[in-house]
Amino acid sequence: MPAAVLALTAGAFGIGTTEFVIMGLLLQVAAEMHVSVPAAGLLISGYALGVFAGAPILTLATRRMPRKAVLLALMAIFTLGNAACALAPNYALLMAARVLTSLAHGTFFGVGSVVATSLVAEDKRASAIATMFTGLTVATLLGVPFGAWFGLLLGWRAAFWAVAAIGIVAFAVLAVFVPGAVGQTDEQVAIRDELAVLARSQVQLGLAMTVLGFAGLFTVFTYIQPILTRVTGFPEAAVSPVLLVFGVGLSVGNVAGGRLADRGLSRALLGTLATLAVVLVVFALVLSLKALTVLLVGLLGAAAFATVAPLQLRVLETAGPAGQTLASSLNIAAFNLGNALGAWAGGVTIDHGADFVALPLVAAAITSAGLVLALVSVRLDRPKAAQAVCPAE
């Protein structure tokens, strides 16, 4: 992969760390801010909703700017937002700082996906996206467990200061390695042509399946700390090593998903969503067994991130050239709307008296709804494929 794609991976690592680090710190944040665990979980929903709102707005606002300048500006917002999280004196200001930080997320990954695919051959586009998203997997593999350990040792605020430092390093790497004119074209696309992508039924289906697929993951993963400690019986100190297993699964699944999508996008899309639903059901069945729970945590990470490259490439392909940047950013927003929906669904399930053990089953039902939409989308493609093979006389 070109050095510029690897630089995007560094930026993705920073953003991924700040998105997920709070999940290993929920109990500490809830205790210091004097709120319930579900209320602390809403810090994840607030971040995700900020991504959902900020992605299309910032993408359209920066559409005429050089792609490199956009990426650097977004990384600066990210760094300042994490510093604000570390300094927040109360829950309301912490939520506001999380939302500020989230504004960088969707547009960074949306613009980054387009840049990454423009740097490689046609048959490597999904792998380029997967390489950039490796930053997210490494963030979960290293950033989140170390953040949980850091928070346990020095307090949760120290974890956010560490993420702000990562942002400074990522800014420098992007400034050095991303070419100034990368991803730019001489032809400016009219804003109405970009917005027209929203009217395409296949794009709408792609965004919806992304929302539901990832909502399933976050219905469980938002509450992974209390699930592991209160259901499976792990001590708090064991949460970080278990999250490390999840990160290993993410790394494997992310690479596998990119390669599968390069070989056959529709098969990869259906197969990865079906696998995620099955893993969630099995996860619910083994939560009383520590060894199997750890194994399923790893499989959950692998199954979840195997869906990322197929879902992202599906939206890029159905959007067409004119709407790719906006559609790409909207799909990142869809991932995060799924995060918010999952965190909310998990919180509602708990607030209505269900035990944490019920969360994986609720999650499996949500992901299965995404799989149904994927089946509908693939079926809609079949008449076009048949027409291409046997054109009308």
Side-chain angles (χ1 to χ4, degrees):
M1 286 290 160
V5 174
L6 300 179
L8 291 168
T9 303
F13 171 74
I15 290 177
T17 302
T18 199
E19 179 179 18
F20 296 129
V21 71
I22 191 73
M23 295 172 189
L25 304 170
L26 278 187
L27 297 180
Q28 294 94 316
V29 171
E32 182 173 333
M33 294 297 178
H34 306 292
V35 296
S36 66
V37 173
L42 290 177
L43 291 167
I44 298 163
S45 297
Y47 183 98
L49 291 173
V51 176
F52 180 73
I57 294 171
L58 285 181
T59 298
L60 292 174
T62 59
R63 55 194 290 273
R64 297 188 182 277
M65 290 175 60
R67 299 278 169 80
K68 180 175 180 176
V70 173
L71 293 171
L72 291 175
L74 294 170
M75 191 53 60
I77 292 172
F78 159 84
T79 303
L80 292 173
N82 277 289
C85 287
L87 294 169
N90 55 51
Y91 178 80
L93 289 177
L94 178 58
M95 178 67 81
R98 287 282 290 172
V99 173
L100 170 65
T101 309
S102 73
L103 296 177
H105 186 122
T107 304
F108 182 91
F109 279 102
V111 172
S113 293
V114 174
V115 169
T117 55
S118 73
L119 292 166
V120 297
E122 185 75 17
D123 63 346
K124 297 295 182 185
R125 296 172 72 213
S127 292
I129 291 172
T131 298
M132 185 184 72
F133 276 88
T134 298
L136 279 177
T137 67
V138 175
T140 310
L141 180 63
L142 298 178
V144 175
F146 276 101
W149 172 78
F150 218 56
L152 193 64
L153 187 66
L154 300 174
W156 63 267
R157 296 179 188 276
F160 281 104
W161 281 120
V163 176
I166 292 170
I168 295 172
V169 174
F171 183 96
V173 172
L174 288 166
V176 171
F177 290 106
V178 175
V182 69
Q184 294 299 113
T185 60
D186 295 331
E187 195 178 323
Q188 289 292 338
V189 178
I191 192 168
R192 65 177 177 275
D193 293 331
E194 290 201 59
L195 291 173
V197 73
L198 298 177
R200 298 183 182 181
S201 59
Q202 285 286 36
V203 172
Q204 294 167 3
L205 282 169
L207 296 174
M209 68 179 79
T210 296
V211 171
L212 293 172
F214 254 56
L217 169 65
F218 276 83
T219 300
V220 172
F221 194 54
T222 300
Y223 301 97
I224 194 66
Q225 188 185 31
I227 286 172
L228 293 175
T229 56
R230 298 181 184 180
V231 178
T232 310
F234 283 108
E236 276 193 37
V239 172
S240 183
V242 176
L243 288 177
L244 191 64
V245 175
F246 183 84
V248 172
L250 290 190
S251 300
V252 174
N254 183 58
V255 174
R259 292 180 178 175
L260 289 171
D262 279 331
R263 293 174 184 174
L265 182 54
S266 295
R267 290 193 303 273
L269 190 65
L270 298 175
T272 55
L273 286 170
T275 300
L276 177 57
V278 170
V279 168
L280 285 165
V281 171
V282 177
F283 188 49
L285 301 177
V286 304
L287 279 176
S288 61
L289 305 170
K290 289 183 179 179
L292 286 179
T293 295
V294 173
L295 174 63
L296 263 295
V297 165
L299 290 176
L300 179 60
F305 261 66
T307 69
V308 171
L311 288 168
Q312 186 73 2
L313 187 57
R314 177 68 176 179
V315 170
L316 280 172
E317 287 198 348
T318 55
Q324 275 200 346
T325 302
L326 179 59
S328 180
S329 294
L330 284 171
N331 201 50
I332 300 302
F335 277 116
N336 285 271
L337 182 59
N339 299 357
L341 177 62
W344 172 82
V348 168
T349 302
I350 296 165
D351 285 339
H352 279 74
D355 194 77
F356 285 105
V357 74
L359 295 183
L361 296 177
V362 174
I366 295 172
T367 296
S368 295
L371 175 60
V372 170
L373 292 183
L375 286 166
V376 171
S377 180
V378 170
R379 184 172 290 275
L380 288 174
D381 272 348
R382 287 178 181 172
K384 296 178 184 177
Q387 188 176 14
V389 174
C390 302
E393 294 182 1

